[in-house]
Amino acid sequence: MQITKRNVELRVDDSLMRVYVASPKPAGVYPGIVFYSDIYQLGSPIIRLANYLAGFGYVVAAPEIFHRLEPIGLVIEPDDLGRMRGNDNARRTAIAEYDADSRAVIDFLKAESTVNADKIGTLGFCIGGHLAFRAAFETEVKASACCYPTGIPSGKLGKGVADTIHRVKEITGEILLVLGTLDPHIPESDRQILIKAIEDAKVPHKVVLYEAEHTFMRDDGYRYDSAATTSAWAEIVEFLGRVFAD
């Protein structure tokens, strides 16, 4: 399916938040996806992932997660300095600010004429995986695909300690966790804490594990694993398709 691409601006807490929107080109009404990047914001690898998903029949809205701290359109380079910059931005962003951004993008999607307001989901990577999981606290969110989400058991997300692990019972939709067993940022102990919290809350979920490292779906890095990425995309597309099936 061919797609269209555009940038829109949303105002959140008097800050201009750029949102990249990829949509199916054929006329119709589609599910909407809040799409979260990693700490490097909307660089080419993340845009490719957003475009890929849109081609399966989704209106994908990807916000710049550090819009309060960085110029509009700023892409953080995925090197040592960029990692420091991205992590510092994450630490300086309040948890409530991340939540406000999530609410704003959900409201934007619900107002779009090409989006079925009853079919809202999220997808995210790394810090974005945590944000996608957290967005599932919103009642409109029916499906959340969280790829190697960092910091959920520890509460490491932004300024202060995130209460995400203690709020799992608020999730009313379904969860897909995509994890790498070689990921030092989400060790086995964290994986088990997260999975147990989901199970205890009786949230419908699926966990898929790959013998892969952190950010294995990012195609510009040394950790990229094309086979695991292809399989993960198949899981994501099947998951979203099932949840949003008519």
Side-chain angles (χ1 to χ4, degrees), residues 96-110:
E97 292 174 333
Y98 288 126
D99 293 344
D101 293 349
S102 173
R103 185 68 255 171
V105 181
I106 290 171
D107 289 342
F108 162 75
L109 286 169
K110 289 172 64 179

Side-chain angles (χ1 to χ4, degrees), residues 34 36 98-99 102-103 106 121-123 129-142 144 164 171:
V34 184
Y36 285 111
Y98 288 126
D99 293 344
S102 173
R103 185 68 255 171
I106 290 171
T122 65
L123 170 63
H130 190 155
L131 293 173
F133 190 96
R134 197 171 172 86
F137 300 151
E138 302 292 341
T139 57
E140 296 96 335
V141 174
K142 309 302 182 188
S144 295
T164 310
I171 296 173

Side-chain angles (χ1 to χ4, degrees), residues 96-194:
E97 292 174 333
Y98 288 126
D99 293 344
D101 293 349
S102 173
R103 185 68 255 171
V105 181
I106 290 171
D107 289 342
F108 162 75
L109 286 169
K110 289 172 64 179
E112 286 285 285
S113 61
T114 57
V115 173
N116 184 332
D118 294 322
K119 296 183 177 183
I120 302 294
T122 65
L123 170 63
F125 304 85
C126 192
I127 186 176
H130 190 155
L131 293 173
F133 190 96
R134 197 171 172 86
F137 300 151
E138 302 292 341
T139 57
E140 296 96 335
V141 174
K142 309 302 182 188
S144 295
C146 308
C147 300
Y148 32 87
T150 53
I152 296 178
S154 67
K156 185 178 179 181
L157 176 63
K159 189 184 299 182
V161 179
D163 58 359
T164 310
I165 196 68
H166 304 295
R167 296 177 58 189
V168 178
K169 289 183 179 179
E170 297 178 31
I171 296 173
T172 57
E174 299 190 34
I175 295 286
L176 173 67
L177 294 179
V178 176
L179 303 168
T181 59
L182 305 179
D183 185 345
H185 300 289
I186 314 172
E188 173 68 14
S189 57
D190 279 11
R191 294 198 299 270
Q192 292 306 316
I193 291 170
L194 178 55

Side-chain angles (χ1 to χ4, degrees), residues 168-226:
V168 178
K169 289 183 179 179
E170 297 178 31
I171 296 173
T172 57
E174 299 190 34
I175 295 286
L176 173 67
L177 294 179
V178 176
L179 303 168
T181 59
L182 305 179
D183 185 345
H185 300 289
I186 314 172
E188 173 68 14
S189 57
D190 279 11
R191 294 198 299 270
Q192 292 306 316
I193 291 170
L194 178 55
I195 292 168
K196 185 177 187 303
I198 294 171
E199 291 175 344
D200 289 349
K202 296 180 171 54
V203 174
H205 67 282
K206 182 176 183 180
V207 180
V208 290
L209 298 173
Y210 296 96
E211 190 177 347
E213 299 184 49
H214 194 58
T215 68
F216 70 83
M217 296 180 73
R218 189 181 172 100
D219 66 10
D220 67 337
Y222 67 91
R223 299 166 176 163
Y224 177 60
D225 187 319
S226 59

